[in-house]
Amino acid sequence: MGTRGQTAGCKNDSPSALAEQQLCVLHFTLSLESGCAEMRRETALGNTGHERQREIMRFITENGEKLARVATSGLHLTDDLKARILSTFLTLMNLRENLDRASMRSSYGRHTVPR
Ligand SMILES: [Zn+2]
């Protein structure tokens, strides 16, 4: 776990759907996984502000769309990579669910002061 060198030593090409990230499919899913793990830890604490929650939601939808584009762009993906893409989708979906639960919890008691 943790952050791996995203492009160090990687010889895979970055598909056009990921041109902005400059990552290959494998490293894109790895960076998403570690990003999600971090945000999940953050939301588990239950004190994520609304602004931050919106940010995380944006992260989920934007990267989910990117991942879908990569997955359906006709690249030749190995079965391993396909499985990895699916499990990354699942990670994004679970994070989204966590976020909903966290925001439900926070609307019961504590309110974050809007700035
Ligand atoms: Zn790579």
Side-chain angles (χ1 to χ4, degrees), residues 6-24:
Q6 303 200 325
T7 45
C10 180
K11 292 187 179 70
N12 298 323
D13 287 334
S14 165
S16 56
L18 296 178
E20 195 188 312
Q21 280 75 21
Q22 303 255 300
L23 293 173
C24 70

Side-chain angles (χ1 to χ4, degrees), residues 51-112:
E51 194 54 42
R52 180 64 181 148
Q53 284 183 11
R54 265 198 297 273
E55 246 173 58
I56 295 175
M57 256 175 224
R58 219 177 302 133
F59 175 91
I60 295 169
T61 51
E62 279 174 11
N63 286 293
E65 280 168 18
K66 241 168 247 161
L67 196 60
R69 229 173 293 143
V70 172
T72 55
S73 64
L75 285 174
H76 289 288
L77 300 166
T78 62
D79 284 348
D80 266 7
L81 217 44
K82 287 180 198 161
R84 179 168 283 286
I85 288 171
L86 287 182
S87 88
T88 305
F89 267 122
L90 195 61
T91 305
L92 286 169
M93 288 155 74
N94 286 338
L95 177 63
R96 175 65 220 241
E97 220 171 74
N98 263 35
L99 204 61
D100 286 343
R101 242 178 277 141
S103 73
M104 248 188 309
R105 258 202 317 270
S106 69
S107 64
Y108 278 123
R110 152 180 38 193
H111 286 276
T112 41

